[in-house]
Amino acid sequence: MGGGFAGAYTAHHLEKRLGRRSDVEVLLVARENFVLFTPMLHEVAGSDVADTDIVQPLRKMLRRTRIGIAEIQSIDLATKTVRIAHHDLLQPYDIVYDQLIVALGAVTNFYDTPGLEQHALTMKTLGDAIVVRNRVIDALELADNQSNEADRRKTLTVVVAGGGFAGVETAGAVNDLLRAAVKFYPHLNKDVLSVVVVHSGDHILPELGESLGRYALKKLSRRGVEIRLRTRVTGYDGQDVALDDGTKIPSRMLIWTAGITPSPLVSSLPCATQRGRIVANECLQVPDWPGVWALGDCALVPDPLNPGKFYPPTAQHATRQAAVLARNLVAALEGRPPEPFKFKMIGALAAIGRRAGVAEIYGLKFSGILAWWLWARHLFEQAAWVPEEGSCDAGLDARLAILEGDRSTTDAALADDVVDRAAGGADCRSAEYERQNAAGRARELNGLRGPIWERRSCE
């Protein structure tokens, strides 16, 4: 259940290990018909790569897995039944399983902050990144026609809530796009542009430690990004971002990256949960429910190398958990004992703008263009997905062009914006409306919508 890193990679490893066994069928249910390379979402938002460069169609990646594009309505662990539904079909479908892998991922958590769900943009899906890019272009178009200076500044002020990887990388990408694209608008200049990061901690990028966080702050500040530390967003009405210190930032665009929570479907399961996530054992099994496994963002997997702690919900861990889970599931089918999941973090990398990054690898810290190049190389190696079916050439071309100083990707943002509007309709009614339109556009770009497999209809 789930077509993200955890679910798709588990199916991929099961295909390899099960070969063409006729007595085993692997089924994967997902909302979208592609796997999204989420670490590069900000690259789409900043128009440094095309949206098709960070996805891999599930049917192309998984040749021997049956793919179902549908919503999961319920999971009944007692009867080993999953009920799914497709929005274009009248009847839901029941799937009876022998082994269940729960990899439902996470969704954005607004923490019940007033106005966020209605007005804020997010950076969790491909549709989100497309919307952010389009809204940045929208802001430039609108500001170029506004005569009031205060209105212009409000329109061209982008607030990013959250100073972790997603927030910092998004802020860097949006800031670069704005400053590179403003030259196309005769009534605008860089003085009216403003990108503000609001972070509750003492330093940004807490995953990389204080020293690299301080470096990233210094570098972003030089690029024109304002950082507000030890500050939280308390509300947003679409016009002003309210902060916990009593101040407000006039802005027509707030990008929320400050929280995620496991899929709501997890809370309906009878198995043990903690902080909304399924409690799994060290072998990725769900205790007291034989044949049920959990991994990725929706699972709490104990870290045997650090007793009492759990592995963080990152792509690094999800892909490696997928390999171990596939081995353990096959072992269970063959009557062999499972092996525990053990993984020591290799490192972490973050891009803070074009040709600038921060990284920590095996305890060694890097910053500047070297860190950025390590980040780019690592991501493009990972983005190959399945070697013989890799599809990141366009993204690599864009990265090399940027390294050489070519800013043609920014020019392409204007054309991309027009294409997306023609295909999906750019009626700026609400953030959620735009996300849905962009998500539909993403599905069309990355393969035909495949129907769910034929199964018996529920009575």
Side-chain angles (χ1 to χ4, degrees):
M1 300 292 106
F5 278 116
Y9 271 86
T10 300
H12 179 58
H13 287 292
L14 284 173
E15 283 190 348
K16 288 183 175 180
R17 295 192 167 274
L18 292 172
R20 298 186 180 276
R21 284 180 54 171
S22 59
D23 61 330
V24 180
E25 182 181 34
V26 180
L27 312 177
L28 185 145
V29 179
R31 295 184 63 183
E32 307 289 358
N33 63 355
F34 56 84
V35 189
L36 174 65
F37 196 66
T38 51
M40 291 184 70
L41 273 178
H42 68 280
E43 295 281 290
V44 173
S47 200
D48 286 328
V49 300
D51 40 20
T52 51
D53 293 328
I54 68 166
V55 297
Q56 175 73 10
L58 284 171
R59 298 180 191 279
K60 191 175 181 181
M61 178 181 179
L62 304 170
R63 297 300 178 89
R64 297 191 299 276
T65 298
R66 301 191 74 174
I67 309 295
I69 306 304
E71 294 283 346
I72 303 171
Q73 290 189 338
S74 64
I75 300 175
D76 191 332
L77 299 185
T79 62
K80 294 190 172 185
T81 304
V82 176
R83 175 163 292 186
I84 65 174
H86 192 283
H87 61 84
D88 287 331
L89 298 179
L90 296 178
Q91 297 286 351
Y93 287 77
D94 279 347
I95 304 170
V96 178
Y97 65 84
D98 298 300
Q99 302 283 331
L100 177 70
I101 301 168
V102 184
L104 295 173
V107 297
T108 301
N109 188 352
F110 294 108
Y111 300 106
D112 296 321
T113 306
L116 289 190
E117 190 168 0
Q118 293 78 18
H119 303 292
L121 303 181
T122 55
M123 278 293 286
K124 196 75 177 67
T125 68
L126 183 57
D128 293 342
I130 295 172
V131 167
V132 168
R133 183 192 66 198
N134 289 356
R135 286 285 292 271
V136 169
I137 303 301
D138 267 346
L140 290 165
E141 297 287 354
L142 175 60
D144 193 49
N145 289 282
Q146 290 176 315
S147 57
N148 184 280
E149 185 71 10
D151 289 341
R152 281 183 177 178
R153 291 185 179 276
K154 182 175 185 176
T155 299
L156 293 176
T157 294
V158 180
V159 180
V160 180
F165 283 121
V168 168
E169 292 181 330
T170 298
V174 168
N175 183 63
D176 285 347
L177 176 57
L178 278 170
R179 294 182 181 278
V182 73
K183 65 184 180 183
F184 294 103
Y185 299 88
H187 301 122
L188 302 178
N189 58 65
K190 294 182 179 181
D191 294 337
V192 297
L193 304 178
S194 178
V195 176
V196 184
V197 176
V198 178
H199 182 55
S200 61
D202 294 326
H203 56 87
I204 59 175
L205 295 175
E207 303 91 341
L208 293 178
E210 184 173 356
S211 62
L212 285 178
R214 298 294 182 193
Y215 169 82
L217 185 150
K218 182 178 179 181
K219 194 71 175 179
L220 285 170
S221 297
R222 286 180 178 176
R223 289 170 171 259
V225 178
E226 179 185 352
I227 311 291
R228 298 197 183 189
L229 300 175
R230 296 177 289 278
T231 308
R232 296 177 184 272
V233 173
T234 58
Y236 182 53
D237 61 3
Q239 300 294 323
D240 296 285
V241 180
L243 306 179
D244 61 356
D245 60 5
T247 62
K248 291 185 178 181
I249 303 175
S251 173
R252 295 169 59 92
M253 191 186 314
L254 169 65
I255 304 172
W256 179 261
T257 68
I260 59 172
T261 187
S263 168
L265 195 61
V266 171
S267 61
S268 67
L269 299 179
C271 55
T273 60
Q274 187 176 330
R275 299 196 298 273
R277 298 165 69 186
I278 298 172
V279 178
N281 63 20
E282 64 277 5
C283 298
L284 305 168
Q285 299 164 311
V286 178
D288 302 323
W289 294 97
V292 180
W293 313 74
L295 77 164
D297 291 358
C298 72
L300 274 178
V301 180
D303 183 356
L305 302 177
N306 296 283
K309 296 185 178 181
F310 299 93
Y311 288 108
T314 70
Q316 272 195 61
H317 293 86
T319 54
R320 288 163 177 80
Q321 287 172 0
V324 174
L325 194 154
R327 288 198 295 269
N328 286 346
L329 194 151
V330 173
L333 295 178
E334 297 174 352
R336 295 183 285 108
E339 64 179 80
F341 173 72
K342 295 181 180 180
F343 175 63
K344 185 176 181 180
M345 193 80 165
I346 297 172
L349 307 98
I352 55 176
R354 291 187 175 115
R355 291 183 283 180
V358 290
E360 182 175 2
I361 302 174
Y362 293 118
L364 299 176
K365 296 180 179 181
F366 304 87
S367 59
I369 193 170
L370 174 60
W372 173 84
W373 181 251
L374 289 172
W375 169 86
R377 180 179 177 181
H378 169 71
L379 289 193
F380 286 123
E381 287 175 351
Q382 293 296 312
W385 307 104
V386 187
E388 65 272 16
E389 299 292 351
S391 58
C392 62
D393 292 344
L396 181 57
D397 290 343
R399 179 59 62 194
L400 292 175
I402 295 169
L403 183 62
E404 295 167 359
D406 181 8
R407 299 303 176 89
S408 59
T409 51
T410 301
D411 304 2
L414 307 179
D416 289 342
D417 179 66
V418 172
V419 170
D420 284 321
R421 294 178 182 291
D427 235 0
C428 299
R429 301 181 216 179
S430 70
E432 178 58 28
Y433 179 84
E434 289 185 81
R435 283 194 287 268
Q436 291 175 356
N437 274 341
R441 167 65 174 154
R443 284 192 291 269
E444 292 167 7
L445 287 169
N446 294 285
L448 298 175
R449 298 191 190 198
I452 56 179
W453 53 81
E454 294 185 3
R455 287 284 175 184
R456 66 179 180 85
S457 176
C458 302
E459 299 298 328

